[in-house]
Amino acid sequence: MLFKRHRRSVILSLLIAFFVPAADAQKLASIIIDDLGNNLEYGDMAIDLPGAVTLAFLPHTHFAHELADRAHNAGKEIMLHLPLQSVRHHSHTPGTLKLHMTHAEFVGQLLSDIASVPHIKGINNHMGSLLTQHPGHMNWLMSALAEQGGLYFIDSRTTTKSVVSLFAKKYDVPHLDRDIFLDPDFRPETIRREFTRFINKVNQTGYAIAIAHPHPDTIQFIKQHLGELEEQGIKLVPVSTIIANQHKREVNRYVESIGAAGARL
């Protein structure tokens, strides 16, 4: 009996070692610059940022395709910044998914938005404080993304009532939440405060995702202070790297839990 238990534990340990890649133990950080596509100058400023900054483009905007091509060629990871209806009234944003849409209209607009920005690896929501609260529409969204395949989703967390995670899990869509907004306003002291919170979050949890905007003050701050991440032993990576790393951690935890349960048999 003891031999069987030992053999089972050994087999499960070998499975972990040989079939499940180890999660990166290094502290990881991602910065998403979104709201891109309407302004060529601001887009170029974001592309010129050093390091593995991830760039998110609004669909059907004047410069999204051109800038996304340029960013991709510069080695940046590209996302779709998907407009979702918000609680408060905003000026019209092309490609917005809305509450009144039928299922066919909703999915059709989503696929059109995805097709409008080349090279995308994932999606984060623009606005969305209304739509991300609605189970039916988030079910439609995650079902369509699961069928599309190959894309992750970052919930920008524009409301604490978001149900994005619930439906992303239902359809096995890789997903995480935004941790920090670097520039809720563009005052230097605000960006400094939020960047410090960002670093602290990474040091506490091993990773964090920040969102910022292509405002000259924000871009200048990031350019000047990215080196602080390296000083703290933090590696700046594309969002997809954090998504993959967290997936490995979850798989490892699951396999280890099976191993612990098996050892008790």
Side-chain angles (χ1 to χ4, degrees), residues 132-183:
T132 57
Q133 296 185 48
H134 279 261
H137 291 74
M138 290 303 97
N139 190 74
W140 289 353
L141 177 60
M142 294 305 160
S143 174
L145 292 182
E147 187 172 343
Q148 179 82 4
L151 297 173
Y152 60 78
F153 193 94
I154 301 300
D155 187 353
S156 300
R157 297 292 296 176
T158 54
T159 174
T160 58
K161 299 177 182 178
S162 172
V163 295
V164 164
S165 179
L166 178 66
F167 289 94
K169 289 176 182 175
K170 176 181 177 180
Y171 290 101
D172 292 323
V173 174
H175 68 285
L176 285 170
D177 290 348
R178 177 273 309 166
D179 295 294
I180 303 289
F181 274 125
L182 290 183
D183 52 359

Side-chain angles (χ1 to χ4, degrees), residues 14 19 33 39 43 45 54 58 79 95 101 120 125 128-131 137 141 152 171 177 192-193 207 222 233 248 253:
L14 289 172
F19 294 100
I33 308 294
N39 187 295
M45 289 168 56
T54 301
L58 290 159
M79 297 176 66
M101 288 179 165
I120 66 170
N125 54 294
S129 56
L130 176 64
L131 215 63
H137 291 74
L141 177 60
Y152 60 78
Y171 290 101
D177 290 348
R192 172 70 268 175
R193 182 193 70 220
Y207 77 94
I222 292 172
K248 290 175 188 177
R253 282 195 294 266

Side-chain angles (χ1 to χ4, degrees), residues 26-29 199 202-203 229-236:
Q26 187 173 16
K27 295 181 291 185
L28 303 178
I199 290 173
V202 179
N203 283 328
L229 297 179
E230 187 174 356
E231 291 170 6
Q232 295 271 340
I234 297 169
K235 183 178 182 182
L236 182 68

Side-chain angles (χ1 to χ4, degrees), residues 73-149:
N73 291 336
K76 297 290 194 283
E77 183 160 293
I78 310 302
M79 297 176 66
L80 170 66
H81 193 35
L82 179 67
L84 304 179
Q85 188 175 352
S86 64
V87 172
R88 295 182 179 181
H89 175 73
H90 288 270
S91 58
H92 174 68
T93 301
T96 300
L97 301 181
K98 298 180 179 180
L99 196 62
H100 66 74
M101 288 179 165
T102 65
H103 179 253
E105 290 170 339
F106 186 97
V107 173
Q109 185 64 70
L110 171 64
L111 296 180
S112 174
D113 292 348
I114 289 172
S116 74
V117 179
H119 314 297
I120 66 170
K121 299 292 185 181
I123 295 171
N124 77 315
N125 54 294
H126 174 62
M127 307 183 298
S129 56
L130 176 64
L131 215 63
T132 57
Q133 296 185 48
H134 279 261
H137 291 74
M138 290 303 97
N139 190 74
W140 289 353
L141 177 60
M142 294 305 160
S143 174
L145 292 182
E147 187 172 343
Q148 179 82 4

Side-chain angles (χ1 to χ4, degrees), residues 5 8-9 12-13 16 253-265:
R5 289 180 181 175
R8 190 178 291 114
S9 296
L12 287 165
S13 297
I16 293 170
R253 282 195 294 266
Y254 175 71
V255 173
E256 287 167 2
S257 70
I258 294 175
R264 293 193 296 268
L265 296 176

Side-chain angles (χ1 to χ4, degrees), residues 3-18 263:
F3 173 74
K4 288 182 179 179
R5 289 180 181 175
H6 177 69
R7 183 175 63 181
R8 190 178 291 114
S9 296
V10 169
I11 290 171
L12 287 165
S13 297
L14 289 172
L15 283 171
I16 293 170
F18 290 102

